[in-house]
């Protein structure tokens, strides 16, 4: 191994540095160094160098799957949805399942939830499942309702219209059952991951905190193990499994295979509630635009506590999806009980979206960590409708969280948002132009995707120093004094993982 040499980069706002890496480590950081012969030289031309960027909550397998199914992101009416579904059906055989993801009724005229009647005529022979952009609810056509035998199901998770019939909208745990029954293929998992990994590398990401799915965890863990053993992975993975996978991990040797510095199973992801967009996030008070609805809690307080205790007693990290204030309260209570004051296993709340002061103090008191998605701030433009002006002030209070001592890291929740950490930081810096005390400074935004993300993934918080791991992200500009609005245009010149350039534009 000859090593990588980065010439003329800026570190901490000071230019003229060269950095030499070899065998996975930073060997030297100096001004005016000459590259050792035979090294790969990357010309930074004054661009800023950082410890490798990390996405601390994403679903790469799901994103890979989405890339080859019907992608409905960006559609603004049902005609566009129908056109893309028709194209998907044309690629499928009669009777074959067609799945897609990404519609958002908030972008449609009238903002009404779609119904199965709007897709039945284009899909007489194929069962169709189209999940909303949040992944917490989906639209099913009549063919799939029939083949899954859902016609007589009752409960808040099966939406019914005025005529009493199913509208085709299925929510939360009822939707998990739907996905359990969909056919899937083991060999696709590895290819899906690799296509996402290449894109993530171009975005400057060196590590992904990878959420493995409930319905395909065996295939996904198997793909990670196979790619890791053959040395085919370019990024690092910190893996979070569903509770259903714990018995499988204990009964097989998969846990041992996924316990190295490249891929490591860290913990267990638990869903406490749904999403604000789908009105399934669990709130203390009803939705402002649906006064009979307070959302859906997946578990009782006792059930959630029991799950958390099971994870904690295994020495694993519990990470709980909680968006509404009621769900965050439940999660903080369950985690606080096992975390004590210093939270030795690093338990986290994912999203922690509607976070009033009392819940922030509770999280800080128990050192409960958080992962946040700054791009949700700019995407959830309709949030005031759901919550009212008063409550919406406590939505994504990123600056207050950090100021009050919560360790928070940044993420995309991909495929929900773009994996680009540059866009994530930009959203944290600008909040989409809204005047807000919750805007972050550049240092805070960078920490979300570097040191805090390392710490939230149970890795030592090393920065740029000699001897540290050579996981590095090189940007194309010196960003130290850049106007926040320009930040979204910054490019990634090189991504280095374990001393190897996995993406580079600037090789001399
Ligand atoms: Zn997620």
């Amino acid at each position: 191994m000859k090593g990588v040499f980065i010439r003329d980069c800026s570190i901490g706002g000071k230019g003229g540095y060269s950095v030499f890496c070899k065998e996975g480590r930073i060997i030297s950081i100096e001004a005016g160094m000459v590259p050792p012969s035979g090294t790969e030289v990357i010309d930074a031309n004054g661009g800023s160098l950082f410890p490798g960027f990390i996405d601390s909550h994403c679903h790469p397998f799901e994103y890979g799957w989405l890339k080859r199914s019907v992608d409905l992101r960006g559609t603004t009416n049902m005609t566009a949805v129908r056109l893309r579904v028709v194209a998907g059906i044309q690629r499928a055989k009669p009777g074959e399942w067609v799945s897609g993801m990404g519609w958002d009724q908030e972008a449609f005229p009238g903002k009404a939830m779609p119904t199965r009647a709007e897709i039945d005529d284009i899909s007489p022979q194929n069962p169709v499942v189209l999940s909303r952009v949040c992944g917490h609810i989906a639209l099913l056509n009549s063919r799939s309702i029939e083949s899954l035998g859902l016609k007589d199901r009752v409960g808040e998770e099966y939406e019914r219209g005025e005529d009493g019939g199913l509208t085709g909208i299925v929510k939360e745990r009822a939707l998990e059952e739907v996905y359990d029954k969909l056919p899937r293929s083991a060999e696709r998992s590895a290819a899906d991951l690799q296509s996402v990994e290449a894109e993530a590398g171009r975005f400057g990401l060196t590590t992904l905190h990878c959420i493995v799915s409930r319905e395909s965890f065996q295939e996904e863990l198997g793909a990670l193990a196979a790619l890791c053993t053959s040395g085919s992975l370019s990024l690092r993975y910190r893996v979070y499994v569903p509770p259903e996978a714990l018995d499988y991990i204990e009964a097989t040797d998969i846990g041992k295979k996924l316990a190295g510095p490249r891929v490591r199973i860290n913990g267990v992801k638990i869903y406490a509630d749904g999403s604000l967009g789908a009105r399934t996030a669990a709130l203390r008070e009803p939705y402002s635009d649906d006064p009979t609805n307070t959302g859906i809690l997946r578990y009782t307080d006792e059930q959630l506590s029991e799950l958390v205790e099971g994870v904690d007693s295994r020495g694993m990290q519990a990470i709980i999806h909680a968006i509404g204030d009621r769900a965050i309260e439940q999660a903080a209570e369950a985690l606080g009980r096992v975390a004590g004051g210093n939270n030795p296993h690093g338990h986290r709340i994912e999203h922690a979206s509607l976070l009033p002061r009392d819940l922030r103090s509770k999280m800080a008191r128990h050192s409960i960590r958080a992962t946040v998605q700054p791009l949700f701030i700019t995407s959830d433009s309709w949030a005031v409708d759901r919550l009212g002006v008063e409550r919406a002030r406590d939505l994504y209070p990123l600056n207050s969280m950090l100021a009050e001592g919560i360790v928070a890291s940044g993420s995309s929740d991909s495929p929900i948002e773009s994996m680009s950490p540059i866009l994530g930081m930009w959203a944290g810096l600008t909040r989409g132009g809204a005047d807000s005390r919750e805007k972050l400074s550049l240092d805070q935004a960078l920490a979300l995707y570097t040191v805090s993300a390392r710490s939230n993934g149970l890795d030592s918080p090393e920065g740029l120093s000699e001897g540290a791991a050579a996981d590095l992200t090189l940007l194309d500009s010196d960003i130290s004094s850049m106007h926040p609005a320009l930040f979204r245009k910054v490019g990634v010149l090189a991504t280095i993982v374990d001393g190897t350039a996995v993406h580079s534009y600037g090789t001399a």
Side-chain angles (χ1 to χ4, degrees), residues 81-92:
V81 170
R82 285 164 57 87
L83 279 170
R84 296 190 196 181
V85 173
V86 165
I89 289 170
Q90 281 166 349
R91 291 195 299 269

Side-chain angles (χ1 to χ4, degrees), residues 57-59 62 136 211 269 271 321 350-351 413-414 416:
H57 178 131
C58 58
H59 306 257
E62 207 177 324
H136 286 264
I211 318 273
K269 158 102 181 268
Y271 285 91
H321 165 116
E350 309 298 284
H351 315 303
D413 205 5
S414 168
I416 295 187

